[in-house]
Amino acid sequence: MVQVAKAYKITVITTSRNEASADFCRSVLGADLSLVRTKESEGRVVDLILDFTKGRGAEVVLDCVGDNSSTELKLQSLATGGRLLHLAAPAEPTSLNLQTVIDKQLTVCGCSVRAREAAYKAHLIDKIRRELWPLVLKGTIKPVIHQTFTFNQVPEALDMLMKEDVNGKLVCVVQTS
């Protein structure tokens, strides 16, 4: 998502759980600002985002992980009229500070393609072919592969994902001979 946003000249701020991931977002993906977020630093993260945006806040916060622990951080980081977009749902129910949503006139929405009808999915595929695929062919957007695995190594790959020790994609290579 960072590379796509940068391809469209969007300023990108990322938060990560460790310095290695934050550095990856800056140096490999091109984030303009990448912050390490821990329980102890959450209040500071909001301050840094507000400083970086000259007090305005972020226009959009995109949650690709479904991290329930940082909902308030996301709301506080948004500009008035900002949008919180969830691409993943947390495992546990979330509470949302509606007063912040109302006061800042925020929009909170979820996005999933899984439940959509086939015609909508076909429309998205066509749009990706027209708008994003040329950026991949030009090298503007580059897939970043952390590691490849054989099918027999899938448990090892899943362990890496569970330990959150991955920057980039894990690829399973299936032998067909």
Side-chain angles (χ1 to χ4, degrees):
M1 298 306 285
V2 174
Q3 290 184 70
V4 173
K6 294 308 299 176
Y8 285 95
K9 311 277 189 263
I10 295 170
T11 301
V12 175
I13 302 170
T14 63
T15 60
S16 302
R17 294 184 184 186
N18 59 58
E19 189 57 49
S21 292
D23 182 58
F24 173 81
C25 289
R26 278 188 300 270
S27 62
V28 176
L29 300 179
D32 298 283
L33 177 66
S34 189
L35 305 169
V36 177
R37 181 184 64 79
T38 62
K39 286 258 187 234
E40 299 78 34
S41 70
E42 283 197 359
R44 181 81 181 116
V45 167
V46 172
D47 291 340
L48 291 168
I49 291 170
L50 292 174
D51 287 348
F52 187 79
T53 60
K54 298 177 176 58
R56 177 158 171 63
E59 295 293 326
V60 176
V61 171
L62 180 63
D63 183 347
C64 300
V65 178
D67 182 6
N68 202 10
S69 68
S70 61
T71 301
E72 187 61 27
L73 169 104
K74 294 167 197 163
L75 296 176
Q76 294 300 324
S77 299
L78 281 164
T80 298
R83 293 159 288 182
L84 173 56
L85 177 61
H86 283 272
L87 300 183
E92 304 278 325
T94 285
S95 64
L96 189 65
N97 184 340
L98 287 178
Q99 193 61 55
T100 303
V101 173
I102 293 165
D103 290 347
K104 293 178 84 173
Q105 302 170 25
L106 303 176
T107 301
V108 178
C109 61
C111 179
S112 173
V113 178
R114 187 175 302 140
R116 298 297 300 262
E117 63 280 353
Y120 180 79
K121 292 176 184 178
H123 166 74
L124 283 182
I125 291 169
D126 182 57
K127 191 169 182 160
I128 289 167
R129 279 190 189 125
R130 285 184 286 109
E131 297 179 20
L132 292 182
W133 194 245
L135 297 173
V136 173
L137 294 176
K138 285 195 309 190
T140 304
I141 297 173
K142 298 175 187 162
V144 180
I145 298 172
H146 181 89
Q147 191 171 337
T148 59
F149 295 87
T150 65
F151 186 75
N152 292 337
Q153 294 173 311
V154 167
E156 180 184 334
L158 292 172
D159 285 343
M160 285 182 75
L161 286 174
M162 295 305 292
K163 292 176 185 170
E164 299 175 353
D165 193 25
V166 176
N167 290 313
K169 301 298 179 190
L170 299 182
V171 176
C172 179
V173 179
V174 179
Q175 300 292 329
T176 59
S177 53

